[in-house]
Amino acid sequence: MNAITTTRQDNEGPFFLFVWFQAIINFFRLIFNTSGRDLRALYRYIRCKRFLAKCERNNLTVPSLFQVNVRKHPYKPCFLYENQVWTFQDVEDLSNRVANCFIQQGFLPGDEVALFMENKPEFVAFWLGLSKIGIVTALINTNQRLQALAHSITVVKSKAIIFGSELLDDRLFYIYTSGTTGLPKAAIIKHSRFIWLGTCTRWMLNMPDNEIYYTSLPLYHSAAGLIFVCQAVVHGDTVALRRKFSASKFWEDCITFNATVAQYIGETCRYLMAQPVQPEEKQHRVSTVIGNGLRPALWTSFCERFQIKKVGEFYGSSEGNANIINTNSTTGAVGFISRIIPSIYPVTLIKVDEATGEPIRNKDGICVKCKPGEPGEFVGKIIRNDPVRNFDGYVNKQATMKKVAKNVFSMGDLAFLSGDLMVMDENGYIYFKDRTGDTFRWKGENVSTMEVEAAISQVLGLTDCVAYGVVIPGTEGRAGMGAIIDIKCTIDFDTFAQNLKKLLPLYAMPIFLRIVKNLESTGTYKFKKINLQHEGYDLKVVKDPLYYLNTKTVKYTPLDEDVYQKILSRKMRF
């Protein structure tokens, strides 16, 4: 027995020495691979924080920063739109007229006004003018219909609708995000957040001055309306606008406006790649693209075809503090976390229960952090009175608390829950995996499953149903799918589609329908979605009747083997 024990101890010594030696090698390899990246990012991050501190110290709001640019170069183009050129002085003049008009109408600081307008320079001039007199603008999604539209206008107690301040802590405007309650949530955007997100995007990517930024994304979302507009309003560059995205006109626009930087989302990249080759795609001056959702499978071919040198892929939300950016165009990454000095920017991935979405905790009640290769929810530590780390939340306080978790990094702390699953590699690069909870992303928009379920139930007379997202090969995000109880097969699908169209924007309408006899529920009477989501619209697995939405005719048609194979072979577009 002693001989066996001695032999085991003799073997364990060299083994532990080997493990220790390997750990040392891995650590130095990590330093070699990431220290340069981390130090450059740290320098840029400190620069951003110093700029924001200067703004706070001098009470510089967004309007006051804009007026600095007006004085500096009044006749420089601020916005390019169709055949119009709006100088900084033009925008200043209109914003002043807007401010004076609302003062004369008796509006006071703190009042709220809804702005329902498509992309154009007037969109920015209106909220900018209102912010000069302390009025908070609610930027309404122009795709919204009926109940969702009425909710967005009334949830912030708007005193007026536009169709067609002293401290940096003041609210600038509201941006609407998908709501887990089924209706949009008004996210609070303060002056400091507007300045921070736009400035960080600019400086973390090391963007030079005097670029011309082109966007065709909606200004009521933060990607265009905050990050790109900030480049003009705060930093004095020129931004070119298009009313709506057009794949066939994209590069032509870039040439017309002489753009050097363009904005994208994953869907727009796929549409551009699907276009026939045209001379304009080689004749533009765009060298940098900024956005989110460019998948690894398209990344290299997209850059090679359109001669793109830098991709500023980022991840973030309008309201959250868990925001990161890919500073060196690493293929597929949405950003990175420093594995050498992670405390500098306290964001991380935590393990969550696949079925419930709830954080998994250790024996002490602290959330369990993910190791490289393990998927987890992306979270950001909340630090009160720090404009970079604070979570301003939503107008609805209850909705705000649902996005906050306790005891995440340590006992007693708070963190923002992004609702998105990511995975990290050995060097700290972060890759998007999926959304959690009751939302999915389709056509560049966040869709609330509860809003879809409520609309279906309303159209069909309180019929039980569930909605969830499913993957379609060759597309970005997840397409909507609904499972509906219809025991007697009484649904008139033409009437159903037309009535549903009145309640939901087209991107929120389910692409697939599954007609079932019953829905499995939990002990608390909530319908289970996981099995339905895994089975999707697979004809080999699902024996229930399936239908798909023809997006051109807006009609539901039975899903047969021929259509199913076209979907799998990417020959059908949705």
mmCIF file of all heavy atoms in Angstrom, residues 169-192:
data_model
loop_
_atom_site.group_PDB
_atom_site.id
_atom_site.type_symbol
_atom_site.label_atom_id
_atom_site.label_comp_id
_atom_site.label_asym_id
_atom_site.label_seq_id
_atom_site.Cartn_x
_atom_site.Cartn_y
_atom_site.Cartn_z
ATOM 1 N N ASP A 169 -27.284 66.272 -16.686
ATOM 2 C CA ASP A 169 -28.057 65.120 -16.218
ATOM 3 C C ASP A 169 -29.504 65.152 -16.715
ATOM 4 O O ASP A 169 -30.277 64.252 -16.463
ATOM 5 C CB ASP A 169 -28.038 65.084 -14.677
ATOM 6 C CG ASP A 169 -28.503 63.741 -14.142
ATOM 7 O OD1 ASP A 169 -28.063 62.709 -14.671
ATOM 8 O OD2 ASP A 169 -29.324 63.734 -13.222
ATOM 9 N N ASP A 170 -29.909 66.206 -17.422
ATOM 10 C CA ASP A 170 -31.272 66.324 -17.928
ATOM 11 C C ASP A 170 -31.541 65.294 -19.013
ATOM 12 O O ASP A 170 -30.639 64.844 -19.722
ATOM 13 C CB ASP A 170 -31.512 67.722 -18.517
ATOM 14 C CG ASP A 170 -31.665 68.768 -17.435
ATOM 15 O OD1 ASP A 170 -31.802 68.382 -16.264
ATOM 16 O OD2 ASP A 170 -31.630 69.963 -17.761
ATOM 17 N N ARG A 171 -32.822 64.950 -19.199
ATOM 18 C CA ARG A 171 -33.221 64.037 -20.260
ATOM 19 C C ARG A 171 -33.207 64.785 -21.599
ATOM 20 O O ARG A 171 -33.700 65.893 -21.702
ATOM 21 C CB ARG A 171 -34.615 63.485 -19.991
ATOM 22 C CG ARG A 171 -34.681 62.664 -18.709
ATOM 23 C CD ARG A 171 -36.063 62.110 -18.439
ATOM 24 N NE ARG A 171 -36.077 61.375 -17.166
ATOM 25 C CZ ARG A 171 -37.114 60.671 -16.729
ATOM 26 N NH1 ARG A 171 -38.232 60.623 -17.442
ATOM 27 N NH2 ARG A 171 -37.043 60.023 -15.573
ATOM 28 N N LEU A 172 -32.631 64.128 -22.617
ATOM 29 C CA LEU A 172 -32.564 64.723 -23.947
ATOM 30 C C LEU A 172 -33.759 64.281 -24.786
ATOM 31 O O LEU A 172 -34.478 65.097 -25.341
ATOM 32 C CB LEU A 172 -31.250 64.311 -24.628
ATOM 33 C CG LEU A 172 -31.004 64.834 -26.044
ATOM 34 C CD1 LEU A 172 -30.972 66.355 -26.052
ATOM 35 C CD2 LEU A 172 -29.689 64.277 -26.581
ATOM 36 N N PHE A 173 -33.943 62.944 -24.881
ATOM 37 C CA PHE A 173 -35.127 62.412 -25.564
ATOM 38 C C PHE A 173 -35.345 60.969 -25.130
ATOM 39 O O PHE A 173 -34.579 60.421 -24.332
ATOM 40 C CB PHE A 173 -35.011 62.527 -27.094
ATOM 41 C CG PHE A 173 -33.735 62.013 -27.700
ATOM 42 C CD1 PHE A 173 -33.384 60.669 -27.625
ATOM 43 C CD2 PHE A 173 -32.883 62.867 -28.380
ATOM 44 C CE1 PHE A 173 -32.218 60.191 -28.195
ATOM 45 C CE2 PHE A 173 -31.708 62.410 -28.961
ATOM 46 C CZ PHE A 173 -31.382 61.056 -28.866
ATOM 47 N N TYR A 174 -36.416 60.367 -25.639
ATOM 48 C CA TYR A 174 -36.710 58.957 -25.365
ATOM 49 C C TYR A 174 -36.567 58.164 -26.662
ATOM 50 O O TYR A 174 -37.004 58.603 -27.728
ATOM 51 C CB TYR A 174 -38.145 58.771 -24.849
ATOM 52 C CG TYR A 174 -38.458 59.516 -23.571
ATOM 53 C CD1 TYR A 174 -39.500 60.430 -23.525
ATOM 54 C CD2 TYR A 174 -37.732 59.293 -22.413
ATOM 55 C CE1 TYR A 174 -39.810 61.118 -22.357
ATOM 56 C CE2 TYR A 174 -38.033 59.970 -21.240
ATOM 57 C CZ TYR A 174 -39.070 60.881 -21.220
ATOM 58 O OH TYR A 174 -39.369 61.555 -20.064
ATOM 59 N N ILE A 175 -35.950 56.992 -26.576
ATOM 60 C CA ILE A 175 -35.898 56.050 -27.689
ATOM 61 C C ILE A 175 -36.632 54.795 -27.250
ATOM 62 O O ILE A 175 -36.430 54.303 -26.139
ATOM 63 C CB ILE A 175 -34.441 55.729 -28.082
ATOM 64 C CG1 ILE A 175 -33.821 56.929 -28.810
ATOM 65 C CG2 ILE A 175 -34.369 54.492 -28.966
ATOM 66 C CD1 ILE A 175 -32.397 56.702 -29.272
ATOM 67 N N TYR A 176 -37.486 54.275 -28.126
ATOM 68 C CA TYR A 176 -38.328 53.137 -27.753
ATOM 69 C C TYR A 176 -37.650 51.814 -28.082
ATOM 70 O O TYR A 176 -37.079 51.636 -29.153
ATOM 71 C CB TYR A 176 -39.684 53.226 -28.459
ATOM 72 C CG TYR A 176 -40.538 54.334 -27.893
ATOM 73 C CD1 TYR A 176 -40.379 55.644 -28.325
ATOM 74 C CD2 TYR A 176 -41.455 54.076 -26.889
ATOM 75 C CE1 TYR A 176 -41.139 56.675 -27.783
ATOM 76 C CE2 TYR A 176 -42.223 55.089 -26.335
ATOM 77 C CZ TYR A 176 -42.050 56.391 -26.786
ATOM 78 O OH TYR A 176 -42.793 57.398 -26.241
ATOM 79 N N THR A 177 -37.720 50.901 -27.123
ATOM 80 C CA THR A 177 -37.187 49.552 -27.303
ATOM 81 C C THR A 177 -38.329 48.559 -27.146
ATOM 82 O O THR A 177 -39.397 48.896 -26.627
ATOM 83 C CB THR A 177 -36.095 49.242 -26.266
ATOM 84 O OG1 THR A 177 -36.692 49.168 -24.960
ATOM 85 C CG2 THR A 177 -35.032 50.314 -26.265
ATOM 86 N N SER A 178 -38.089 47.313 -27.607
ATOM 87 C CA SER A 178 -39.136 46.302 -27.482
ATOM 88 C C SER A 178 -39.414 46.031 -26.020
ATOM 89 O O SER A 178 -38.510 45.987 -25.192
ATOM 90 C CB SER A 178 -38.700 45.010 -28.171
ATOM 91 O OG SER A 178 -37.501 44.534 -27.606
ATOM 92 N N GLY A 179 -40.686 45.821 -25.685
ATOM 93 C CA GLY A 179 -41.075 45.622 -24.293
ATOM 94 C C GLY A 179 -41.462 44.199 -24.003
ATOM 95 O O GLY A 179 -42.188 43.585 -24.772
ATOM 96 N N THR A 180 -40.975 43.662 -22.888
ATOM 97 C CA THR A 180 -41.346 42.299 -22.518
ATOM 98 C C THR A 180 -42.805 42.224 -22.091
ATOM 99 O O THR A 180 -43.384 41.152 -22.025
ATOM 100 C CB THR A 180 -40.464 41.806 -21.357
ATOM 101 O OG1 THR A 180 -40.550 42.732 -20.271
ATOM 102 C CG2 THR A 180 -39.018 41.695 -21.785
ATOM 103 N N THR A 181 -43.432 43.355 -21.819
ATOM 104 C CA THR A 181 -44.856 43.368 -21.476
ATOM 105 C C THR A 181 -45.711 43.381 -22.732
ATOM 106 O O THR A 181 -46.923 43.352 -22.642
ATOM 107 C CB THR A 181 -45.193 44.607 -20.634
ATOM 108 O OG1 THR A 181 -44.844 45.778 -21.385
ATOM 109 C CG2 THR A 181 -44.422 44.607 -19.336
ATOM 110 N N GLY A 182 -45.069 43.418 -23.897
ATOM 111 C CA GLY A 182 -45.820 43.394 -25.141
ATOM 112 C C GLY A 182 -45.917 44.736 -25.812
ATOM 113 O O GLY A 182 -46.345 44.837 -26.942
ATOM 114 N N LEU A 183 -45.541 45.821 -25.142
ATOM 115 C CA LEU A 183 -45.607 47.149 -25.725
ATOM 116 C C LEU A 183 -44.238 47.825 -25.592
ATOM 117 O O LEU A 183 -43.459 47.493 -24.705
ATOM 118 C CB LEU A 183 -46.684 47.983 -25.024
ATOM 119 C CG LEU A 183 -48.126 47.519 -25.259
ATOM 120 C CD1 LEU A 183 -49.078 48.249 -24.325
ATOM 121 C CD2 LEU A 183 -48.540 47.722 -26.707
ATOM 122 N N PRO A 184 -43.927 48.773 -26.482
ATOM 123 C CA PRO A 184 -42.601 49.410 -26.453
ATOM 124 C C PRO A 184 -42.336 50.118 -25.129
ATOM 125 O O PRO A 184 -43.239 50.649 -24.485
ATOM 126 C CB PRO A 184 -42.687 50.421 -27.609
ATOM 127 C CG PRO A 184 -43.785 49.930 -28.487
ATOM 128 C CD PRO A 184 -44.772 49.282 -27.577
ATOM 129 N N LYS A 185 -41.047 50.121 -24.733
ATOM 130 C CA LYS A 185 -40.614 50.814 -23.532
ATOM 131 C C LYS A 185 -39.845 52.063 -23.937
ATOM 132 O O LYS A 185 -39.015 52.021 -24.846
ATOM 133 C CB LYS A 185 -39.721 49.904 -22.679
ATOM 134 C CG LYS A 185 -40.412 48.660 -22.169
ATOM 135 C CD LYS A 185 -39.446 47.800 -21.359
ATOM 136 C CE LYS A 185 -38.355 47.222 -22.220
ATOM 137 N NZ LYS A 185 -37.526 46.232 -21.490
ATOM 138 N N ALA A 186 -40.113 53.165 -23.240
ATOM 139 C CA ALA A 186 -39.426 54.421 -23.532
ATOM 140 C C ALA A 186 -38.134 54.483 -22.739
ATOM 141 O O ALA A 186 -38.137 54.670 -21.525
ATOM 142 C CB ALA A 186 -40.329 55.604 -23.182
ATOM 143 N N ALA A 187 -36.997 54.296 -23.429
ATOM 144 C CA ALA A 187 -35.687 54.359 -22.777
ATOM 145 C C ALA A 187 -35.240 55.810 -22.645
ATOM 146 O O ALA A 187 -35.362 56.590 -23.591
ATOM 147 C CB ALA A 187 -34.663 53.568 -23.587
ATOM 148 N N ILE A 188 -34.722 56.155 -21.480
ATOM 149 C CA ILE A 188 -34.304 57.530 -21.193
ATOM 150 C C ILE A 188 -32.900 57.771 -21.764
ATOM 151 O O ILE A 188 -31.956 57.067 -21.409
ATOM 152 C CB ILE A 188 -34.309 57.799 -19.679
ATOM 153 C CG1 ILE A 188 -35.727 57.626 -19.111
ATOM 154 C CG2 ILE A 188 -33.769 59.185 -19.372
ATOM 155 C CD1 ILE A 188 -35.774 57.577 -17.589
ATOM 156 N N ILE A 189 -32.778 58.751 -22.639
ATOM 157 C CA ILE A 189 -31.478 59.146 -23.179
ATOM 158 C C ILE A 189 -31.152 60.537 -22.656
ATOM 159 O O ILE A 189 -31.798 61.518 -23.027
ATOM 160 C CB ILE A 189 -31.473 59.154 -24.722
ATOM 161 C CG1 ILE A 189 -31.959 57.808 -25.275
ATOM 162 C CG2 ILE A 189 -30.069 59.502 -25.243
ATOM 163 C CD1 ILE A 189 -31.085 56.639 -24.887
ATOM 164 N N LYS A 190 -30.154 60.606 -21.776
ATOM 165 C CA LYS A 190 -29.732 61.894 -21.230
ATOM 166 C C LYS A 190 -28.665 62.513 -22.129
ATOM 167 O O LYS A 190 -28.080 61.852 -22.987
ATOM 168 C CB LYS A 190 -29.194 61.719 -19.810
ATOM 169 C CG LYS A 190 -30.257 61.276 -18.810
ATOM 170 C CD LYS A 190 -29.693 61.170 -17.401
ATOM 171 C CE LYS A 190 -30.781 60.788 -16.391
ATOM 172 N NZ LYS A 190 -30.245 60.658 -15.018
ATOM 173 N N HIS A 191 -28.410 63.803 -21.924
ATOM 174 C CA HIS A 191 -27.374 64.494 -22.701
ATOM 175 C C HIS A 191 -26.044 63.760 -22.592
ATOM 176 O O HIS A 191 -25.334 63.580 -23.585
ATOM 177 C CB HIS A 191 -27.206 65.937 -22.203
ATOM 178 C CG HIS A 191 -28.365 66.820 -22.534
ATOM 179 N ND1 HIS A 191 -28.334 67.754 -23.542
ATOM 180 C CD2 HIS A 191 -29.611 66.925 -21.992
ATOM 181 C CE1 HIS A 191 -29.492 68.393 -23.595
ATOM 182 N NE2 HIS A 191 -30.283 67.893 -22.660
ATOM 183 N N SER A 192 -25.700 63.324 -21.381
ATOM 184 C CA SER A 192 -24.415 62.661 -21.163
ATOM 185 C C SER A 192 -24.319 61.360 -21.947
ATOM 186 O O SER A 192 -23.251 61.009 -22.461
ATOM 187 C CB SER A 192 -24.208 62.381 -19.668
ATOM 188 O OG SER A 192 -25.284 61.618 -19.146
#
